[in-house]
Structure formats: structure tokens, C-alpha cells
Amino acid sequence: MRALIIEDDHEVASFVAQALKEAGFVTDTAHDGRDGLFMAANENYDVIILDRMLPTKDGLSVLKTLRATEITTPVLILSALGDVRHRIDGLKSGGDDYMVKPFSVAELLARVQVLLKRTIPSNAESELTVGELKIDLLSRKASRAGVEIDLKPKEYKLLEFMMRHAGQVVTRTILLEQVWDYNFAPQTNVIDVHMSRLRNKIDKGYPNELLHTIRGAGYCLRED
């Protein structure tokens, strides 16, 4: 999932971005309306978090322009303007939801999930399966043989990537780029550590292993 945060307060933007990243999102940030509009119009996002009071172009103008050009990405307005008339203006301008600052991060994440559920087509992929192993892409829960697996955010992101590439050998370089957002190969054993923890959670206690180490190449998730 990709999220765009259009917020001129750098501290708030960083706070929201961190919360979304921990929930498994890839995030981009714009600190003024003009840049935010350009990014929203030229990239594919699953959700947009939009402040109302922005430099260069205010939030409602950004929103109206997006809707006028038939960009239907769900938008959660996040604003210090909390009067009923402000909320109504935001929703009438094309906003899908409206939250007032200060806000609860847990509530923000819950509202984002609700927006995503509303906009995902009924025939869209909502579950990944490899043998007895399953992950629900909406609830972000994993299970094997019906038993829920407790995963940390990075472990979930790693497992989702491996399941989307089930049967393929995935190199460490690809994992660093796609899961850790590194565009270089640092001298670290972070992948090995996470893979060991993930293998312990999804394979321990089961007769057949799903996560395999391919020597000199990388890793592969497959049902033998």
C-alpha cells in the first residue's frame, strides 16, 4: 500500500509517515499544496492524508482539482479546523473522511483501513496462500493451518513480499530494496536475522518447511 501525506508541519508529517510505515505502508510526503497536487496526480496512491491549511495551494483546492480530474484516490483530511462547517466543506469538496488535530494515531490508522476496504473492488486480491500459510491483506493477519501467527510489522512486510513471489528465489539485494527501502547493500545481517525469526514463526512445529535458504542466491518460499 502506498500513502501520500500532504502536510506542511514537518513534525506532524514525520509522525504520520512513521505510523503508516509501521503499519506496512510505503509513504511519500509533500509539504505544500502545489507539490502535493503534482504527486497525487502523477503517482498511484492507495490513500492520501491531506492537511487543509497549506502553502502555495490550500488543501480544499488540491482536493477539488483532484476530483475534477477524476482522481478518486480516497482522501482523509487532517486539519486543526474542526467546526462542523469546516467538516462539511471538506466532505463536500470530495474528502472521504475528516479528522481534527490533535488526533489519535490508532484512530487514524483505523480510519485509513476503513477507507481502503470501501475502495478495494470485491474481486480484488485480499488473501495470499502458500500451502497452509495464509495472510489476510486487509486485516494484515497471518496464520498457518488455522493458527494465527504473531508478526511484527517488518516481519509481516517481509512475509507478504515472499508470498507475492512464492516459488521464486529472492536475492538479499532485492529484499533490501523492496522491504527495507535500501538502495545499497550495507554490511549487515539484518535479513538473515529477520529470516531466522520468520522461519521460526511459520515453520517451527510443522513437518514441512516453507521458507528455504538457497545458498549463494537468497531465499525462496514454496510448498515442496
Side-chain angles (χ1 to χ4, degrees), residues 41-74:
N42 290 279
E43 298 286 343
N44 292 320
Y45 293 101
D46 297 288
V47 67
I48 297 172
I49 311 297
L50 176 67
D51 187 20
R52 280 192 58 164
M53 296 181 289
L54 295 166
T56 69
K57 193 175 185 70
D58 71 88
L60 293 192
S61 296
V62 170
L63 185 51
K64 290 175 181 177
T65 302
L66 291 176
R67 298 311 188 219
T69 53
E70 300 184 352
I71 294 174
T72 60
T73 307

Side-chain angles (χ1 to χ4, degrees), residues 195-212:
M195 279 296 187
S196 177
R197 291 173 180 169
L198 186 59
R199 180 181 285 113
N200 188 57
K201 291 186 177 184
I202 69 174
D203 282 339
K204 187 176 181 180
Y206 295 94
N208 58 316
E209 292 187 353
L210 299 177
L211 187 56
H212 304 268

Side-chain angles (χ1 to χ4, degrees), residues 145-209:
V147 180
E148 187 170 333
I149 303 168
D150 182 23
L151 296 175
K152 294 181 179 179
K154 188 63 72 176
E155 292 170 346
Y156 174 88
K157 189 174 182 181
L158 179 59
L159 179 59
E160 180 183 344
F161 187 83
M162 293 301 298
M163 292 187 74
R164 288 189 182 278
H165 297 83
Q168 303 174 23
V169 177
V170 181
T171 67
R172 287 175 171 79
T173 300
I174 289 176
L175 290 172
L176 284 170
E177 290 177 350
Q178 300 298 319
V179 179
W180 275 267
D181 297 324
Y182 292 162
N183 55 11
F184 63 99
Q187 297 301 312
T188 175
N189 65 343
V190 63
I191 292 178
D192 298 318
V193 170
H194 277 76
M195 279 296 187
S196 177
R197 291 173 180 169
L198 186 59
R199 180 181 285 113
N200 188 57
K201 291 186 177 184
I202 69 174
D203 282 339
K204 187 176 181 180
Y206 295 94
N208 58 316
E209 292 187 353

Side-chain angles (χ1 to χ4, degrees), residues 63-129:
L63 185 51
K64 290 175 181 177
T65 302
L66 291 176
R67 298 311 188 219
T69 53
E70 300 184 352
I71 294 174
T72 60
T73 307
V75 174
L76 170 60
I77 299 172
L78 192 61
S79 176
L81 302 175
D83 291 348
V84 172
R85 62 186 179 87
H86 292 136
R87 294 170 183 257
I88 292 173
D89 286 345
L91 297 173
K92 282 187 173 180
S93 297
D96 297 276
D97 200 354
Y98 197 111
M99 283 190 71
V100 179
K101 300 174 183 177
F103 58 93
S104 158
V105 128
E107 183 182 358
L108 182 142
L109 293 175
R111 286 175 180 255
V112 166
Q113 292 297 335
V114 169
L115 290 181
L116 293 175
K117 288 181 180 179
R118 288 179 189 166
T119 56
I120 292 176
S122 59
N123 62 346
E125 182 181 45
S126 62
E127 184 178 88
L128 298 176
T129 304

Side-chain angles (χ1 to χ4, degrees), residues 21-48:
K21 286 177 182 177
E22 290 176 355
F25 285 81
V26 174
T27 66
D28 290 327
T29 303
H31 295 296
D32 64 63
R34 182 180 58 198
D35 289 347
L37 177 58
F38 178 83
M39 294 169 71
N42 290 279
E43 298 286 343
N44 292 320
Y45 293 101
D46 297 288
V47 67
I48 297 172

